[in-house]
Amino acid sequence: MIALLAFWLCLPRPLFKRPTSYVIDDDRGLLLGAAIAADGQWRFPYDDSVPDKFRQCIITFEDKRFTYHPGVDPLAFGRAIRQNLKAGHVSSGGSTLTMQVIRLATHHNRTIWNKLLEMIMALRLELTYSKKEILALYTSNAPFGGNVIGLNAASWRYFGRSPAQLSWGEMAAMAVLPNSPALVHPGKNRTTLLKKRNQLLDKLYEQKVIDQSTAQLAKLEPMPDKPLPLPQIAPHLLERFKAEHRGNGQTGTRVRTTLKAELQQQVSDILERHHRVLRANQINNIAAVVLNVETGAALAYTGNVYHPDEAQLESHVDVINAPRSPGSTLKPLLYAAMLHDGFILPNTLVPDIPTQIAGYHPENYDLGYDGAVPASKALARSLNVPAVKMLQKYKYERFYDVLKKTGISTLNQPADHYGLSLILGGSENTLWELTGAYASMARVLNHYNRHKGGYDAADYHSPVYQLLKTKNHQPEKNGLLDAGSIYYTLQAMEEVMRPGEEMLWQQFGSTQRVAWKTGTSFGFRDGWAIGITPKYVVGVWVGNTTGEGRPNLTGINTAAPVLFEIFRLLPVSREWFAEPEGALVKIKVCRESGNRVGEYCEHPDDAWVPAAGLKSPVCPYHQLVHLDATGSWQVTADCESPDRILNRKWFVLPPSIEYYYKTKNYQYHTLPPFRNDCAVADKAQPMEVIYPRNDAKVYIPIEADGTRGKMICNAAHSQPGTKIFWHLDDHYAGETHDFHQMAISPPAGNHVLTLVDATGNTVSVRFRVLDKEK
């Protein structure tokens, strides 16, 4: 009984405990890359599939009765004893493949007692493992010379192909290698290896496994030379898999990814080509990822250029998964969130004027202002000031929560830490999560009609590089962002002019429609471009992993050309996102302001908008004005007979907005002034200080001669030709006509700037001039 128990428990568990190489394959099983095992061996993980050619070669060469002996072959063992006695030394072991599996697993020395133990353990192995499994164990763990273990690793090391692609001559060479790997391996003793291979080919012919011509042609095949380097098509994803594998405590070290090897190589080639140009401007790094919208699966993952021999490039850094400043790439998410919550309609006018909020002074890229722009155009043009104004209205705390729910995990500080700078790149995000967020939005829109107007919370998820089982949820009535808001966001993103194409792409039927957004971080450190179609999302990052900024390192100049070159690799579909009719409502919209029509809107248009637009604000800019019979002056009932007053609807912007708006919009008509004999005490404030804003902090540089420089103050008045009298701390500073700009030289400290117009209207702002010495 004890002997039986010992027999049953004699096998080690697990049978093989040695570390294996980390290996990643593409979606069809093609090798993308591998890393050497922890013990310095090229040992791929166990593979239960053994190529038929190798099965026939190894059985013919090593163990011709393998398929029906019980683990020990008495005939082979007897033959080995006779040969050894005749030779006077050990020339044949008589081991079966099953016994060799035991020796590989236990590392027994070749002694009589160990041979007997191997026989017992081989018998035990055959009781619980099938012949197919035993052969797979041998194939995965046999030595193939040097530090190469297993057929899979050997095939790639010696022939640069998978075992399934080897010819009869190549497979025969593989089959004879484990017989004496220390003596015979590619690169030396090639004559001995050639002789053994050809003897095996003759045996295969004799046993009618192959025909004569196949055997003769196989003998003409060259022998493998020195080991080849393994493919490194996705080196950064391989390192990511290694890191995440250790962190998750998984067991298998081989994964079939969602990548497509051909696309991966093409994307890498594009990045390498652009890298050679960008490097002339000392821009050393570039990364790109391509996602499938439906699954969120990565189809290409190029975390950087790959130049391991040039340490200064830091090309080992996987930028796809590295937190970087996102520049303007979050603006579409804010636009969608404000549409979803009814704060704006697609074309609501947003202020674009000099702005200072609690010491924060955003500026547009061109340093100019439009006064006000439709929200969709502000997004398409990536204007910074309107974006900050929108976030100020929406509240950065609310937007912070939206970003978290879309899958952005890099916001590891409280919302107050980022404040309004959140919308202009004041946080850090990864290319992986940003592309994932946009893929989620596209997925929601694609699924809206499929779910009959419902929303599946599972549509928001991070990208993946290996397919996982997805959970099916019951669609709900409401989602994080409604389909109508997403639809209009992508429409606005499609209006952006592509680099070098000047809108001509729209004239070509074969060109892919793309909604896209670029981003540039402060100091020209990061250039971003993200593009979205119903089927794909492409993300590109350009910059230096060191964080060094470079001139012209902008998203539009560096990342966008790469983005559209990658899109040209993808299948073109002219099908665009279907309009989510169930998520839209038809309302009257003011043509001039883009808001819901108010009482005095003169040009109402019918428009389909997201459902939340029903609760958006009405137009605040149209009012009823009273003019004299000539239409040239404003009047009141106190100075004009009511029957002579003309009542007109008028589009009136606040003075600071009007100041810039009228220079960019020729159709805008300034409100006529009040007639001199009319009292105007009850009218709205016609004057506004543009700069400095109230409570601003201003630094005035010291000139070369040691004197403090001047600050330029700006104001706007709704009545052309009106005089404005300027006062600094109750001291008269000067007067202006029409163009209201004044240069002043205040010392360090707190000040009050007061403006008074010719009719007595007064406005004051407080500001502080900073002292450089402190």
Side-chain angles (χ1 to χ4, degrees), residues 231-261:
Q232 291 291 345
I233 302 175
H236 301 94
L237 184 59
L238 174 62
E239 291 303 312
R240 177 172 181 170
F241 170 58
K242 286 171 61 177
E244 293 181 351
H245 179 277
R246 297 190 192 104
N248 296 336
Q250 299 174 3
T251 53
T253 59
R254 186 167 196 164
V255 62
R256 176 172 287 199
T257 70
T258 56
L259 270 59
K260 296 184 177 297

Side-chain angles (χ1 to χ4, degrees), residues 373-439:
V373 289
S376 61
K377 298 299 181 185
L379 174 59
R381 292 171 56 193
S382 196
L383 297 175
N384 291 338
V385 174
V388 172
K389 288 286 191 182
M390 290 168 68
L391 184 57
Q392 184 184 26
K393 183 176 182 180
Y394 189 68
K395 305 301 180 186
Y396 60 78
E397 297 90 347
R398 183 186 288 113
F399 184 52
Y400 176 90
D401 290 338
V402 170
L403 293 177
K404 288 273 193 177
K405 290 174 182 176
T406 59
I408 304 297
S409 68
T410 49
L411 300 174
N412 47 26
Q413 299 291 335
D416 288 339
H417 173 80
Y418 306 106
L420 294 175
S421 70
L422 183 61
I423 197 59
L424 300 184
S427 63
E428 288 190 329
N429 304 102
T430 67
L431 186 60
W432 185 247
E433 290 186 348
L434 278 177
T435 52
Y438 285 110

